[in-house]
Amino acid sequence: MFQISYPIIRLLFAFLLSLLTLQVSAAWASSPDLKELEIDHALTFEFTSPHTKWAKPYAGGKIRVLFFTDGTGTNPRECVELMQRFDIDAQAVFWAHINDSAKKYWHGDQIGVRRMHGLLRQKWDCFVFLGLPLTDVPPEQKQLILNAVTQGAGIVFVGSDDRTLLQSPKKIAPLPAFVADENASEAYIIGKGRGIRMLSRPNIDYYEGWEIEYDHWQESLGRAVLWSARKEPATHLDLSLSSSVRILDRKDPLQAGKSATLFAKILGKPLGNNLRIQVSVCKPGHKTVVLPERSIASGEEVTLPMPGLADGAWRADARIIGSAGIE
């Protein structure tokens, strides 16, 4: 299970867990109607946790996502965490476990399946399966998902699989640059749609600065959603310690306490005007360093002086923001 010991988040997750457990128990006892199920499945921002708005508001517009996940523990919170960071309009369908029983069903049983069917009649940019396989979906509803994906929707599997859908002849190798990182496993073309398999969400024990690691995991998942939905950005940003060596590829670390200069260059066709670049440099256990914001134009290289940093590995994160949102 994903472990969190950050005091405020721990309290939040405990509350959500107890609330959802009570709702699931009551649901099976009283045969909930659709209105009650909608309350059970609500993805709200009533509680805010530490996060970076990686692409919110997003210049490419909102992405409609339908989540499928286990409705117990902190799993439903994963949906909200992604929605905090990316411009996502989402609904969720929960897989439920009946208390004191080995039985598992879609939350709400047959009413829940009918709710799922109604949601699948809507248009979605992407389906995200968080730890659940597609095989758990009833045949009729599964076919609606397959139809939507082959017609252009995306599908993302996190720590789960579907070998009938993600097949070798459709595999994209190497991984597209936009999603190629330590969390993405394989990517596929499925008719007119795209599919991607991600590794399981990380098991992060508490340590000072754990939220930075989790923030970057969510950024990776958000990229997978954007790519599979064909909503990846129209621009590309290079960030380097020299005009030819990328910062993430640099083998020789900066000397601790010495200042340095970042070089940033944006390529492509931005969707908005009045572009500016925001850069932060972070390391667990240290205060995040936010560099002064600079204006930038497509094809232009700007320099960003950095202050001296403590010894160790630091990560530089950059966002291009314009009149249309985050590019």
Side-chain angles (χ1 to χ4, degrees):
M1 175 175 284
F2 183 59
Q3 300 179 17
I4 295 290
S5 298
Y6 189 83
I8 296 177
I9 307 304
R10 182 176 57 195
L11 178 62
L12 163 63
F13 279 11
F15 170 77
L16 291 174
L17 173 58
S18 61
L19 177 61
L20 189 58
T21 301
L22 287 172
Q23 290 172 337
V24 169
S25 302
W28 289 108
S30 61
S31 298
D33 61 17
L34 185 58
K35 184 176 181 180
E36 290 175 324
L37 276 180
E38 294 296 349
I39 294 173
D40 290 352
H41 288 87
L43 302 175
T44 69
F45 298 111
E46 184 176 355
F47 298 95
T48 302
S49 53
H51 65 278
T52 299
K53 293 186 183 299
W54 295 115
K56 188 175 184 178
Y58 182 46
K62 283 189 176 294
I63 303 97
R64 296 207 73 218
V65 175
L66 183 57
F67 290 101
F68 294 80
T69 187
D70 192 303
T72 57
T74 62
N75 294 327
R77 182 66 194 183
E78 294 291 315
C79 309
V80 178
E81 290 294 327
L82 192 64
M83 293 167 67
Q84 285 185 147
R85 295 166 169 84
F86 289 83
D87 216 345
I88 289 176
D89 176 18
Q91 292 274 7
V93 181
F94 295 151
W95 184 250
H97 173 249
I98 305 175
N99 288 346
D100 302 320
S101 170
K103 294 182 179 180
K104 291 185 177 182
Y105 297 104
W106 291 104
H107 180 41
D109 200 10
Q110 292 306 309
I111 296 177
V113 171
R114 289 198 294 271
R115 174 182 176 272
M116 181 199 306
H117 190 93
L119 288 171
L120 289 172
R121 303 297 296 183
Q122 301 177 24
K123 181 176 176 55
W124 300 96
D125 296 313
C126 185
F127 304 99
V128 178
F129 283 76
L130 293 168
L132 287 181
L134 184 59
T135 50
D136 284 343
V137 178
E140 186 177 356
Q141 287 72 30
K142 178 180 178 180
Q143 191 59 51
L144 289 174
I145 295 173
L146 297 178
N147 292 345
V149 172
T150 56
Q151 292 170 15
I155 191 165
V156 177
F157 293 97
V158 181
S160 59
D161 204 349
D162 189 275
R163 288 295 175 181
T164 60
L165 187 63
L166 305 183
Q167 300 177 19
S168 295
K170 306 171 185 176
K171 187 175 180 179
I172 302 173
L175 280 169
F178 184 66
V179 293
D181 62 20
E182 68 277 9
N183 298 307
S185 175
E186 297 170 334
Y188 296 84
I189 294 296
I190 308 165
K192 296 180 180 179
R194 292 173 173 178
I196 188 167
R197 181 184 294 113
M198 304 283 288
L199 301 180
S200 298
R201 61 179 184 174
N203 248 338
I204 305 177
D205 291 321
Y206 175 77
Y207 66 93
E208 189 177 12
W210 68 266
E211 65 275 13
I212 294 176
E213 182 181 349
Y214 182 70
D215 209 23
H216 288 127
W217 149 251
Q218 282 284 331
E219 191 260 357
S220 180
L221 177 57
R223 282 177 178 269
V225 169
L226 291 178
W227 178 83
S228 65
R230 295 184 182 273
K231 296 277 190 176
E232 63 265 47
T235 56
H236 171 79
L237 176 66
D238 276 327
L239 191 65
S240 61
L241 285 171
S242 72
S243 52
S244 61
V245 182
R246 288 178 58 81
I247 186 170
L248 296 180
D249 296 334
R250 184 180 174 94
K251 295 181 180 180
D252 299 324
L254 294 174
Q255 189 173 352
K258 297 291 185 179
S259 60
T261 300
L262 284 177
F263 294 81
K265 187 173 185 179
I266 183 173
L267 302 171
K269 297 181 179 180
L271 299 176
N273 302 311
N274 303 319
L275 303 182
R276 57 194 188 279
I277 183 170
Q278 295 179 343
V279 180
S280 59
V281 187
C282 58
K283 179 179 185 294
H286 291 72
K287 184 177 180 180
T288 297
V289 177
V290 180
L291 304 186
E293 192 174 285
R294 292 283 307 276
S295 295
I296 191 170
S298 184
E300 174 190 9
E301 183 175 75
V302 300
T303 59
L304 299 153
M306 288 198 306
L309 302 173
D311 192 18
W314 291 73
R315 173 162 174 158
D317 296 316
R319 299 182 303 168
I320 301 295
I321 302 176
S323 59
I326 296 176
E327 297 276 351

